Amino acid sequence: MPERGEGTGLRSHQMAWLADFVPLVGNETVERIAALAEPLGGLQVQHINSTKHGGGVAEILRSLIPMLGGLGIRADWHTLSAPLPFYEITKHIHNTLQGEAGNLSDDDWRFYEKVVLDNDHLVDRRADVVVVHDPQPVALIRGRDEARRWLWRCHIDLSNTNNNVWNPIAAYVKDYDHVIFSLSEYAQPLDPPAAFITPAIDPFTLKNRPMPEDQARACFERYGIPSSRPIVTQISRFDPWKDPKGVLEAARIAQREVDFTIVLLGNMASDDPEGARIFADLVKERDERTMVLDKGDDADLVNALQSWADVVIQKSTREGFGLTVTEAMWKARPVVAGRVGGIVHQITDGEDGFLVESVEETAARIVELLKDQALAKRLGQEARETVRRKFLITTLLERELELMR
Ligand code: UDP
């Protein structure tokens, strides 16, 4: 076995970890990243979001921050502190920005801005670049000075946004130097120039590294998930846009034809107060073939299900990108997912997964995949290749370094 970094020509020992990516993305990509990073050495970048825990943004930052550090860029990550009513308001902002009807009162907006500005001390006055993620901390820009560049990084689907709420948010965004959306169709008419960077996964995390079947089965046993029947799963925050109810309805229909256990697994993001309410509702649906678990912080369990479930569902009705789809595709699973947002950019229907638009279609695809293992295997293999080519974190790193240059 070659030593880490051996034969890659990487410039310094610090960057040797990048060599682990060579077998996946090729030497040229890794060399490009090293070359892009070199003149940025010593740059100080601060990321600010609303939770260290749960959701795709935290997932990306957990990998990205040490990677930037390994490239000689001083990257830090800070998180807002706020009382629960703030997160009720910001979840409402999130939902309306994704298209739900409604508005916020003037009092809500005042409270929102006050809480954000109480976090002004978070902004690191030594940072050259401050990257603010999503609407929750966007108002931090009110405290900007000219000494640093401010980027707003939006991860949500704004293609059908509610202008009652978008317009006040846009009034903050206009003062940023740059905005980044996950997809070009989420762009809004704004003064700051926009860049588009799709999210991506780190193949070397506990969640994404290869998991042998016996280890996965032992993990299932710990959680009481039977291995005697096929397993169909959706792993997501308990959120209306992820449509967990629709998944259970589809499972009920499919279970009339094929026998399997449906496992809904989720975790609770600290900035998402809706989760506990939705979980409590779903728990009522449990039966012998229906498991609803809130143990989604166990990366081993997520990995075990994403690696060894027979079908992975992501029946979202809106989805900024959908890292859960990427993760399951990387593990060569057949994925059945909503034809929305970022999912459409990941799955080519019938080639490396299935796109669906209804409960009935979801049920039909579950039945088809459980009955036709060759089809399931083919889609899974194609899916892994799609992720290898397009959605590994090296692609994201390269795009972000280009932008910082
Ligand atoms: N996740 C997890 N456990 C759960 C549910 C989700 O670890 O029970 C992770 C999931 O693996 C993924 C991220 O949280 O890395 C969710 O990202 P995605 O883009 O799919 O959705 P978001 O929650 O950001 O809307």
Side-chain angles (χ1 to χ4, degrees), residues 43-333:
L43 188 81
Q44 196 148 343
V45 181
Q46 184 187 24
H47 288 262
I48 302 178
N49 82 326
S50 65
T51 178
K52 285 265 179 201
H53 176 84
V57 179
E59 189 74 22
I60 292 171
L61 289 179
R62 250 198 310 279
S63 288
L64 189 67
I65 299 293
M67 281 180 181
L68 290 170
L71 290 167
I73 294 167
R74 302 219 305 260
D76 282 315
W77 170 17
H78 292 94
T79 299
L80 292 184
S81 331
L84 187 64
F86 174 83
Y87 295 116
E88 295 281 359
I89 290 176
T90 55
K91 188 68 201 292
H92 188 47
I93 293 177
H94 174 97
N95 287 343
T96 45
L97 289 181
Q98 292 216 125
E100 203 173 84
N103 210 338
L104 266 75
S105 68
D106 290 347
D107 279 351
D108 287 343
W109 282 116
R110 268 193 292 274
F111 177 70
Y112 160 77
E113 186 172 297
K114 179 182 178 313
V115 173
V116 177
L117 294 186
D118 285 346
N119 280 268
D120 183 63
H121 62 276
L122 283 184
V123 177
D124 186 342
R125 302 294 158 191
R126 293 163 309 173
D128 303 297
V129 182
V130 181
V131 185
V132 175
H133 293 260
D134 280 338
Q136 297 92 335
V138 68
L140 280 173
I141 192 73
R142 288 284 182 259
R144 89 165 275 168
D145 51 32
E146 295 308 318
R148 60 212 96 254
R149 309 288 282 170
W150 287 72
L151 267 78
W152 186 56
R153 184 14 168 155
C154 177
H155 297 264
I156 61 182
D157 176 351
L158 292 178
S159 53
N160 195 23
T161 198
N162 172 339
N163 284 323
N164 293 334
V165 176
W166 169 248
N167 289 337
I169 292 290
Y172 297 115
V173 177
K174 76 174 177 29
D175 291 332
Y176 281 76
D177 295 301
H178 238 289
V179 294
I180 307 174
F181 297 103
S182 294
L183 303 173
S184 56
E185 55 262 42
Y186 301 163
Q188 299 292 316
L190 287 165
D191 287 340
F196 305 99
I197 303 183
T198 45
I201 60 161
D202 177 351
F204 297 116
T205 58
L206 276 180
K207 182 182 294 175
N208 291 327
R209 67 186 185 182
M211 178 178 273
E213 184 168 6
D214 57 342
Q215 214 176 311
R217 299 284 166 209
C219 182
F220 293 158
E221 207 177 320
R222 277 201 299 284
Y223 286 99
I225 301 170
S227 283
S228 51
R229 282 190 289 264
I231 297 171
V232 176
T233 190
Q234 173 160 299
I235 300 163
S236 266
R237 284 182 299 108
F238 295 109
D239 176 293
W241 305 103
K242 313 284 184 186
D243 197 15
K245 285 219 143 188
V247 176
L248 292 187
E249 279 172 46
R252 297 265 182 278
I253 298 171
Q255 280 169 337
R256 288 184 211 139
E257 260 193 79
V258 281
D259 191 23
F260 62 90
T261 307
I262 177 79
V263 180
L264 283 187
L265 174 66
N267 59 359
M268 304 290 170
S270 58
D271 63 346
D272 181 1
E274 258 183 319
R277 296 194 286 268
I278 293 175
F279 176 70
D281 214 33
L282 291 167
V283 159
K284 296 178 199 148
E285 309 277 332
R286 280 178 178 160
D287 63 26
E288 205 208 332
R289 292 189 296 171
T290 307
M291 301 191 68
V292 182
L293 303 173
D294 62 355
K295 305 297 180 209
D297 285 333
D298 181 345
D300 275 341
L301 177 59
V302 175
N303 191 344
L305 281 168
Q306 287 177 335
S307 299
W308 292 99
D310 296 270
V311 178
V312 175
I313 313 285
Q314 187 57 59
K315 207 199 149 303
S316 304
T317 53
R318 284 266 194 289
E319 191 61 77
F321 184 69
L323 283 176
T324 50
V325 171
T326 334
E327 290 161 358
M329 290 174 77
W330 175 242
K331 290 154 195 154
R333 292 301 89 193

